[in-house]
Every structure is written in C-alpha cells, then in structure tokens.
Amino acid sequence: MSLDALINELNPQQKHAATTAAQHSLVLAGAGCGKTKTIVARAAYLIEQGVPASQIQILTFTRRAASEIVARVELALGDAAKGLRASTFHTFCMYLLRRVPQAFGLESFTIIDRDDQLMMFRLIRGKDDKKNPNALPAPKDLCDVYSLTRNTQQKLSHTLQLHMPEFELYHGQIAEIMQEYEKRKRERNFLDYDDILAIVAAALAQSEGLVDYVAGLCQHMLVDEMQDTNPLQWALLEPLKDRISLFCVGDDAQSIYGFRGADFENIHHFKERVPNAHIYKLEQNYRSTQEILDLSNWLLERSPIDYDKRLEAYRGLGLKPKLHIFPNEFDEAKWIAIDIKERHFLNNAPWRDHMVLVRSSFAARAIEAACIAANVPYRFIGGMKLLETAHVKDLISLLRAVANPMDDIAWMRFLTLWPGVGDVGASRLAQKLLQASNMDEVFSALEDFGKVPLQAILIMKQMQAIRHEVQHCVTLGVQALEQQLSDNYKKDWHKRQGDFELVKQLANKHTQLSEFLEEYVLDPVSISEIERQSDTDVVTLITIHSAKGTEQKVCYVANVSAGQYPHARAQGDFDQIEEERRVLYVALTRAQNELILTKQNLSHWAVTKVDEQGRKLESYFFNELSHLLCDMQTHARPRQQSVKSALIERQSINLDFGINLD
C-alpha cells in the first residue's frame, strides 16, 4: 500500500485532519470513526512531506496500539518509515530518563510497581495498626490516594476531601506516612509509576535546555486517546507546545477513567490551552448501523455538557436496539446465555460474534454461572494483567532479585514464599543481603538462612551468570519455584501453570533481564493479548472499562437498571454522573449489527434533580427512553413454573430442625 492508497481510503473529514498544515490540531473522533486510520495517515503524510520518521513520536496508552500504528505506517511507506517511534507515555519518559539521566539528577534507579508500593505502605503504616487499626486508610487506599494526588496534581487534603472524607481528620498522619514513603524511595533509588512521569514533567518545566533536547528528538508528537490523559500527562506536553507540533486525537464522549485521574478537561478545553489549535471532527461511523447510533446520540444529547457531535452510520439502517426486562439477575443471566446459544445453533452464528458487556468482574458472576450451566464457551476480560497475577508476581520477584540484588522489596516477596518465613524474618535477611559486597556473600547468606531450598539457590546462581539469556532465565526461575508455588496455589495450580509459558514468550524478545522487567512492569500485558484468544470461537464477556477499542456483531449490555446507570455511588455529583453517561455510551457503541440491553425490574425511584449551578443531575439515563429508539419486552416468570419450582423447593427442605435430644 502506498501513501496515495492510504489517503484515498480516507473520507473528507479524515483527509482534512490527516493532511492539515496547522501547527497544532485536535481531532475529535467519534466512536468507530476511524481515529487510528487517521493517525496512521497523519504519520505517513508527514514522512512523505519530508519529516524524518525518527522526528515523529506517537504517544499511546498501550504497547499494542503503539506497535499497530507503526506496523501500518511501515506497510504503507516501507523503509521510509524506519525510525518512527511509538510508545506509551511511561515508556517515552523512561527513554529520556535512560538516555540523559544527568538532566534529571539520576544515576541508577529501579522501577517499582504497585505491589511494591503496597508492601512499602504496609511496612510504614504497620506501626500504627495495633494502636488503632481503623484510624488510617488501608495500604491499598494509601497507595490510591498517593497516586491520585500526584496524577491530578492536587493537594493531599483535596484528594482526601473528594475521595476519602472519612479520613480527613487524619490528614497529618497520612502526610507523614507519604513523606516516609518518599524518603525510603530516595534512599533506595526506587521510582514508582508516577515518578517516571513527574520527574520528566518537572524537569521540562524548569529546564529550557531539556525542552530544546526533546524538541530536537521529535518535531511532531501524535497523541492517541487524548481524553484519557491526566493533568500530569498534560504537564509533559505543555512545556513542549511552543517548540513542537501537537496532533492529538480523542473522543470527549469516551472519557471514562476519571477514577484513575484522567482529566476530561484536557480534551474538552484543549482550544483554551492551545489557542492556535485547529479542531477537526470525525463523525462518520463505520462500525454500527444508524439505529444503534441514534440511541447513542440520544444519550449524549440529553447531557448538559455540549459534546457537539452526532454520529452518522456509513453502513446505513439496520435493526432497532432491544431492551429486555427481567424479574432478577438470575433470570436475566440465564436468558442472555440461552439467547446466545439459540443464535449459535439455530442461526449458525459463531460464538465469537457475541459480546456481553458488564460493569465489573463481580457483575459478571451470574452471567458466567449461566454460561457454564448452558455449556456456552466464553472468555472473561476484566482487567487482570498477566504480570499482575500473584503467581507470576512471585516469579518476577525472583527475576528482579537476580537482576538487582539491591531490590529489597523483591527479596521480601521472594523470601516470604517459603514455609516459615514471615515479614519480620524476611525484612531482616533482606537488609543483610543489601549489605553484601558481592553475589557470593548473597548466596552464602541465603544458605545460612536455611529456609530457601538449596536447589533454588543453585538455580539462582545459574540465572545470575546468564542474565542476558532472558528466556532461559525465566525457565530456570520457574524450575526454582514450581514445587513451592504448586503448594501455595494448590486450589487452582493447573490453571495458573500455563501462564508461565506466556511469560517465556514475552521474554523471548529481550536480551537483558533488566530491560524485560522494566518494560512489562511499566505496561503489564493482558493474558488475552498474548494468547490471541480472538482466534478461538468463544463468547466474550468483558467489563466496559476493558472494552474500549473492541467491537462485535451482537452486543449485550447487561443490567442497565436504575441504580446502575448512573451508579448509585455517583448520585448527586455532576462530574461522576456525566462520566457514568460516557461509560454507558462506550458500551452502546461497541455493537455492529445488534444491540441488546437487559435490565432488572427493580423498584428504584429515579428522580432527576438540579445542582447548585443549575445543572441537571439525572438519576437514571433511561427514564425517558422512547419506543421509537428501542423495542422493549418484559419477561415475567410463568406462574405455573413458579408454583412448581416452589413445591420442589418446599419438598426438599429438611423439617427436622430441632435440637438433638440424645
């Protein structure tokens, strides 16, 4: 494919955006409107216009999206695209930290992940547990508050007030814990996820020389999923905007990660922040039929926020969405499973043509149970990443200790795997290992400790010697831990075992153990991403927050009941209610041919209110849903069946419930 062929595939809106001469651009791309195609075309167009490929930096939110964009540009341009860079924000910042560490006052450092943070907060907070365990947030909550405070660039008091008002009285103690956490990081040369961005953002804000350096590396930055950026990520771009060209693509109606600190305003107020930017809209949808888009458009049009876009279906008309109402979640789940099964066997529809969208992994349980009962094959995608699963984290702790013997957090996790080793004993030995002057002393101390099997220590010695053979290191690591992990996870070990083969596949791409660990700690890869489960003929059960970028011929959006959209916890908060609207919008716009909504016939009052600023606070988005937009059907359990099942239940009750008099 040539550039001409690539450009000719674009519609007028896409072409106008991809070939703009403006220094800064914001492309508001509606769901299914070809934003990735537009980014690919933009990169290819710039290269054809004479911009060296190495002077273009594409920023995305996943490694997979980055590699896909580069591959498509290379397919169009061949060798001319060599040198094109695409990466996540974190990986781009790591590139700068590794390339010019002196610009950030760094020499050597180790990246720590969330589990490591939790361990540190647990150890720091531990001394207060016995005095009053309820006086302070749990380590997980401390970690969340710390990260949210940094990513939103707010004061700790503001984050507590918004997200944990019950702990506002303990602001001083919480601040002390976080100060101690930062002190320990500095002492150990640890950087957490947020440090990676914050250090680079702070240096860019303070150093004209560093801005010049980065501007010399890339004339153009193409930013994907702009609606998901947080204030800290904007702080990375802001100092560069006078020196480089920004081409940002996103959809304000798909901003659904506020709980992670994503800032809706980064895209909604882009024109105010970059006054000379040109705004382009992509409104022709290639995914869905018009009836599906009519319902999605209606949902946005009812919002007090002006999204200022209306999607039009390239494919034209199709089937009207349907809403099915059930007495309870079990009947709802059973109907979904049976409906999919009938479509498969009666209409010869592949299982993979069906996707069921839910709010959370907890909300998926009834549907999973119904699929199992009905023999409907499925896979669940709900956010758990391969390198975030406990057994793989255990393996990673060993690999990290081998790669960096000064990593005391890795030693803590590795040592506590073995019987008879608690936090106190592991902490003492970890401090001793950190004081060792060479690896022989490390291994000698492990042997003297007497809790780690000699066989495991011998394997670690082998791993230390071949750190450049990453896949072999992983294989040896599995050998060292396999017996103990099978005991630790005996309930479902057979399920967990296969994950180690996936880790080996990832390791095969790397030549340094530290490089492998760093890449996948920064951007944990999902299990399904490696297994390519899309090649398997199964139904996809997926959380909405995992579903962005996905699509399917038939989509079921489960439990669109009052109290769920918006969720009860969002009631009364304008920003949260509007994010809930966008969550539902993302779910509706996944469907290609058929959109099927299900809800439970619960007696919830849903009264729309107005806040202090006069903005409408909807308490249920489907309060005024019209039959013109959606066909509705109520499923009542047949009376005869209900009586029969009640009799069966009555007969099965053991009436002998008195005490035993013998």
Side-chain angles (χ1 to χ4, degrees):
M1 181 186 287
S2 65
L3 175 67
D4 287 343
L6 197 64
I7 296 295
N8 288 337
E9 282 186 357
L10 304 180
N11 65 39
Q13 288 181 326
Q14 293 168 334
K15 185 175 181 179
H16 195 200
T19 59
T20 180
Q23 180 186 358
H24 300 307
S25 307
L26 173 65
V27 182
L28 292 171
C33 291
K35 72 174 180 61
T36 303
K37 179 186 281 189
T38 306
I39 293 174
V40 169
R42 177 62 177 171
Y45 176 78
L46 289 172
I47 293 168
E48 281 287 308
Q49 293 298 302
V51 178
S54 59
Q55 285 285 313
I56 301 171
Q57 173 68 52
I58 300 166
L59 293 173
T60 71
F61 276 81
T62 66
R63 183 190 310 104
R64 181 174 160 188
S67 60
E68 179 191 347
I69 291 169
V70 170
R72 287 170 64 173
V73 177
E74 289 178 346
L75 186 65
L77 300 184
D79 290 343
K82 296 298 180 188
L84 176 66
R85 291 195 304 270
S87 60
T88 64
F89 277 88
H90 283 88
T91 306
F92 174 67
C93 288
M94 279 302 307
Y95 171 76
L96 297 176
L97 290 172
R98 292 294 185 200
R99 185 155 175 164
V100 282
Q102 69 277 10
F104 308 98
L106 296 171
E107 292 180 7
S108 64
F109 54 88
T110 298
I111 304 300
I112 61 172
D113 67 7
R114 182 176 169 81
D115 267 16
D116 302 328
Q117 290 179 282
L118 287 172
M119 175 71 79
M120 290 178 71
F121 277 118
R122 192 171 96 204
L123 293 172
I124 296 166
R125 180 192 184 282
K127 63 180 182 294
D128 296 304
D129 273 354
K130 291 177 184 174
K131 296 178 190 173
N132 187 354
N134 297 319
L136 293 171
K140 172 189 175 297
D141 296 324
L142 286 168
C143 200
D144 288 344
V145 166
Y146 177 79
S147 185
L148 198 57
T149 301
R150 298 193 70 189
N151 279 288
T152 57
Q153 299 193 307
Q154 299 282 354
K155 293 180 179 178
L156 174 60
S157 56
H158 180 77
T159 308
L160 287 173
Q161 182 184 2
L162 279 182
H163 299 277
M164 287 187 191
E166 68 272 26
F167 291 111
E168 279 189 272
L169 287 174
Y170 304 100
H171 171 267
Q173 288 169 267
I174 293 169
E176 286 177 16
I177 290 173
M178 292 181 177
Q179 285 173 339
E180 177 63 20
Y181 167 72
E182 296 197 325
K183 176 172 171 282
R184 293 192 186 189
K185 280 195 300 178
R186 284 193 297 272
E187 290 172 352
R188 294 160 174 75
N189 290 328
F190 286 162
L191 299 185
D192 61 31
Y193 291 171
D194 304 319
D195 291 324
I196 294 165
L197 301 185
I199 288 171
V200 175
L204 284 169
Q206 296 166 16
S207 170
E208 279 293 325
L210 183 61
V211 171
D212 290 343
Y213 177 79
V214 175
L217 288 176
C218 52
Q219 298 173 28
H220 295 264
M221 273 193 177
L222 281 56
V223 184
D224 192 14
E225 304 286 12
M226 186 66 185
Q227 77 280 352
D228 294 336
T229 55
N230 59 40
L232 185 50
Q233 286 159 331
W234 174 251
L236 287 166
L237 300 175
E238 205 276 336
L240 297 169
K241 72 179 191 294
D242 294 330
R243 300 293 311 280
I244 66 171
S245 175
L246 287 174
F247 185 86
C248 301
V249 183
D251 183 1
D252 48 356
Q254 294 189 70
S255 178
I256 62 172
Y257 295 108
F259 65 95
R260 292 184 193 163
D263 187 359
F264 176 70
E265 306 299 347
N266 280 355
I267 191 166
H268 214 62
H269 290 167
F270 188 87
K271 182 71 174 172
E272 296 166 27
R273 297 179 177 187
V274 189
N276 59 336
H278 286 220
I279 310 295
Y280 302 93
K281 291 183 195 174
L282 306 184
E283 296 174 297
Q284 189 165 60
N285 175 286
Y286 293 88
R287 176 184 299 150
S288 308
T289 57
Q290 191 59 51
E291 286 83 353
I292 294 169
L293 298 182
D294 285 344
L295 179 58
S296 307
N297 288 333
W298 171 84
L299 179 69
L300 290 189
E301 286 163 2
R302 289 172 57 81
S303 171
I305 294 174
D306 181 13
Y307 290 98
D308 194 24
K309 69 166 75 69
R310 183 173 179 82
L311 300 186
E312 299 291 336
Y314 175 80
R315 297 173 56 204
L317 299 176
L319 297 172
K320 192 190 293 188
K322 293 181 173 65
L323 173 63
H324 293 266
I325 305 166
F326 300 90
N328 56 59
E329 65 175 318
F330 304 107
D331 287 358
E332 176 189 36
K334 183 178 179 181
W335 182 87
I336 290 172
I338 296 302
D339 192 62
I340 293 172
K341 192 171 185 176
E342 287 178 351
R343 289 166 178 270
H344 176 72
F345 287 111
L346 299 180
N347 303 332
N348 294 318
W351 296 115
R352 63 176 170 270
D353 286 355
H354 306 84
M355 179 187 289
V356 185
L357 296 116
V358 293
R359 289 300 299 259
S360 64
S361 55
F362 178 79
R365 288 178 183 175
I367 298 170
E368 284 195 89
C371 286
I372 292 167
N375 288 318
V376 173
Y378 73 94
R379 58 168 172 161
F380 176 67
I381 300 176
M384 177 55 79
K385 305 291 189 179
L386 175 65
L387 272 68
E388 292 173 350
T389 54
H391 55 296
V392 175
K393 295 286 289 185
D394 296 338
L395 171 63
I396 295 295
S397 71
L398 169 56
L399 298 174
R400 281 176 49 178
V402 169
N404 175 17
M406 296 299 289
D407 189 340
D408 59 344
I409 295 178
W411 281 121
M412 282 287 292
R413 182 164 191 135
F414 169 72
L415 292 171
T416 52
L417 292 176
W418 309 98
V421 185
D423 284 353
V424 175
S427 182
R428 284 182 188 147
L429 179 58
Q431 295 312 308
K432 186 175 180 181
L433 296 176
L434 262 57
Q435 292 164 14
S437 57
N438 56 55
M439 287 308 298
D440 288 339
E441 286 186 23
V442 168
F443 293 129
S444 178
L446 284 173
E447 290 173 22
D448 292 344
F449 185 58
K451 302 285 188 180
V452 181
L454 183 59
Q455 178 67 17
I457 297 171
L458 292 173
I459 291 175
M460 290 175 70
K461 289 181 180 179
Q462 287 180 264
M463 294 168 68
Q464 179 69 26
I466 57 161
R467 284 178 295 172
H468 59 289
E469 297 179 30
V470 183
Q471 192 174 39
H472 193 188
C473 263
V474 172
T475 302
L476 288 172
V478 172
Q479 287 177 20
L481 299 181
E482 199 157 21
Q483 183 57 53
Q484 187 57 49
L485 294 185
S486 69
D487 291 340
N488 293 356
Y489 302 103
K490 60 181 69 171
K491 285 185 179 178
D492 58 353
W493 177 242
H494 66 286
K495 288 184 181 177
R496 294 174 181 263
Q497 255 181 313
D499 291 345
F500 293 125
E501 291 304 315
L502 303 180
V503 179
K504 290 175 192 175
Q505 287 181 38
L506 295 176
N508 191 37
K509 304 173 187 173
H510 296 273
T511 56
Q512 287 295 331
L513 187 55
S514 57
E515 173 201 275
F516 162 69
L517 293 168
E518 194 168 277
E519 178 170 352
Y520 291 105
V521 164
L522 285 179
D523 185 12
V525 67
S526 68
I527 295 171
S528 58
E529 193 175 322
I530 312 162
E531 288 183 333
R532 300 184 180 277
Q533 288 178 311
S534 55
D535 297 338
T536 307
D537 190 18
V538 295
V539 174
T540 296
L541 177 57
I542 190 169
T543 62
I544 298 170
H545 282 91
S546 301
K548 281 178 62 177
T550 63
E551 57 187 41
Q552 203 46 266
K553 290 179 182 176
V554 182
C555 284
Y556 300 77
V557 184
N559 197 12
V560 294
S561 311
Q564 291 294 320
Y565 293 95
H567 197 277
R569 65 171 173 262
Q571 297 294 339
D573 186 307
F574 178 81
D575 291 333
Q576 287 190 40
I577 288 172
E578 289 306 310
E579 177 149 324
E580 290 281 295
R581 185 191 304 276
R582 297 191 291 269
V583 168
L584 181 55
Y585 175 80
V586 168
L588 301 181
T589 53
R590 300 308 96 198
Q592 296 173 324
N593 300 339
E594 286 189 72
L595 175 62
I596 300 164
L597 311 175
T598 65
K599 64 172 283 195
Q600 295 155 35
N601 195 15
L602 305 174
S603 298
H604 280 299
W605 287 100
V607 180
T608 298
K609 299 178 182 178
V610 175
D611 71 1
E612 294 173 355
Q613 299 177 43
R615 299 176 299 187
K616 183 173 65 174
L617 302 174
E618 279 192 79
S619 58
Y620 183 43
F621 297 134
F622 288 146
N623 252 354
E624 299 170 21
L625 180 61
S626 167
H627 284 274
L628 297 174
L629 289 171
C630 189
D631 290 331
M632 303 178 202
Q633 181 180 349
T634 299
H635 298 255
R637 183 176 289 172
R639 187 185 182 102
Q640 189 176 3
Q641 181 186 344
S642 299
V643 172
K644 184 179 177 184
S645 60
L647 285 172
I648 292 170
E649 289 172 17
R650 180 67 176 268
Q651 290 166 358
S652 65
I653 293 173
N654 178 9
L655 297 177
D656 183 15
F657 48 76
I659 61 171
N660 188 339
L661 298 176
D662 289 344

